[in-house]
Amino acid sequence: MTKLSVNINKIATLRNSRGGNVPDLLKVAVDIQEFGAEGITIHPRPDERHIKYQDAYDLKPIVTTEYNIEGNPIADFMDLVLAIKPTQVTLVPDGNDVLTSNAGWDTITHQSFLKEVITDFKDNGIRTSIFIDTDLKLIEGAAETGADRIELYTEAFASQYEKGNTGAVKPYTEAALLAHDLGLGINAGHDLNLENIQFFKQNIPNLAEVSIGHALISESLYLGLQNVVNMYLHRLQ
Ligand SMILES: CC(=O)[C@@H](O)[C@H](O)COP(=O)(O)O
Ligand SMILES: NCC(=O)COP(=O)(O)O
């Protein structure tokens, strides 16, 4: 079964644009879970452009499904996650100035750092996931770090699929097969949407979770949030 974790960053983007509390991030998170989503994902960035660090604390008591916090493990992020103890932390090698996440980890160059950080989170009962590309050497490196899971960075698949190149899923299938053989759980995310999700799911064995935000929130503007969540759940069956 593949769980749907809805990334609510863009709800916070809309809320912040007027400085008040509309839309109410916490209410949206409650509703998304009531609509059937199996998780809530946030990505508090150092500039707090959308999710603020306080949001991460405020969400903890109301996320009754799986709570996934994504980010670069800088000191402030480490402190935040260790204080909140979400279900899962997803490590993303983002620079402070990126428009959005644009790369996976080099799990070979940064192996000792990742091992240290992952040990810290695991010692605190937090499931760990590493945002990663499909390079098989990097998948092997991820297994060496002691991470529980990988999150396949799906931007390359999504952009090629949109151009009709269905073969772009092949590296992801191969990466998932290797990851499973190495004992890694398999998550995926970034630019997944209603058009590509079913094909992706059908080609990724043992896909445990997808985290989807930008497209899902945008699609909801036309189709309604409850309807879109259920469309994703249906396509993930
Ligand atoms: C790691 C990942 O793919 C998501 O967290 C994505 O980066 C969302 O971040 P933004 O909503 O800031 O684009
Ligand atoms: N980890 C991916 C995520 O949380 C959402 O990415 P996107 O759907 O906003 O591109």
Side-chain angles (χ1 to χ4, degrees):
M1 175 204 170
T2 302
K3 292 187 176 183
L4 171 66
S5 185
V6 177
N7 183 313
I8 57 175
N9 290 351
K10 301 302 160 23
I11 300 295
T13 299
L14 184 56
R15 174 200 62 188
N16 296 355
S17 66
R18 275 293 174 90
N21 194 39
V22 177
D24 180 337
L25 186 76
L26 303 187
K27 180 182 183 328
V28 173
V30 167
D31 291 345
I32 282 171
Q33 295 173 103
E34 285 179 359
F35 297 157
E38 294 104 345
I40 295 292
T41 290
I42 60 171
H43 190 149
R45 295 181 180 277
D47 61 10
E48 296 190 305
R49 66 187 71 170
H50 38 53
I51 295 288
K52 300 186 182 304
Y53 273 37
Q54 187 56 49
D55 291 327
Y57 288 100
D58 295 346
L59 282 161
K60 166 75 180 199
I62 63 145
V63 178
T64 53
T65 54
E66 292 206 342
Y67 192 18
N68 176 39
I69 301 180
E70 303 196 334
N72 191 333
I74 59 175
D76 285 350
F77 180 82
M78 293 287 298
D79 293 345
L80 176 79
V81 174
L82 291 170
I84 293 169
K85 295 184 177 47
T87 313
Q88 175 176 266
V89 59
T90 300
L91 307 181
V92 186
D94 279 351
N96 292 344
D97 57 348
V98 293
L99 175 65
T100 186
S101 305
N102 57 10
W105 282 97
D106 178 340
T107 57
I108 296 166
T109 307
H110 301 293
Q111 174 117 154
S112 54
F113 169 70
L114 288 168
K115 270 183 180 172
E116 192 182 307
V117 164
I118 284 163
T119 300
D120 208 352
F121 286 129
K122 289 178 78 168
D123 287 350
N124 283 274
I126 303 166
R127 188 172 71 213
T128 55
S129 180
I130 296 181
F131 196 61
I132 197 166
D133 292 297
T134 55
D135 183 312
L136 298 184
K137 289 285 181 214
L138 298 180
I139 304 291
E140 289 170 350
E144 291 299 309
T145 67
D148 299 295
R149 296 190 182 181
I150 57 169
E151 177 178 344
L152 293 171
Y153 170 38
T154 47
E155 188 275 333
F157 158 73
S159 59
Q160 284 300 310
Y161 186 82
E162 192 178 14
K163 295 170 187 164
N165 176 11
T166 54
V169 78
K170 192 168 180 296
Y172 293 83
T173 306
E174 289 169 355
L177 288 168
L178 175 60
H180 184 69
D181 287 347
L182 295 171
L184 287 163
I186 300 149
N187 296 346
H190 206 96
D191 286 342
L192 293 173
N193 61 36
L194 282 174
E195 295 305 313
N196 63 33
I197 188 63
Q198 195 163 30
F199 177 79
F200 185 78
K201 154 72 179 173
Q202 288 166 349
N203 285 276
I204 308 297
N206 306 300
L207 181 60
E209 172 193 295
V210 290
S211 44
I212 306 176
H214 192 86
L216 188 151
I217 302 302
S218 304
E219 291 151 349
S220 299
L221 296 174
Y222 290 92
L223 302 170
L225 185 56
Q226 181 168 10
N227 181 36
V228 166
V229 168
N230 281 283
M231 289 173 77
Y232 275 102
L233 292 171
H234 181 71
R235 295 179 191 195
L236 287 167
Q237 277 177 358

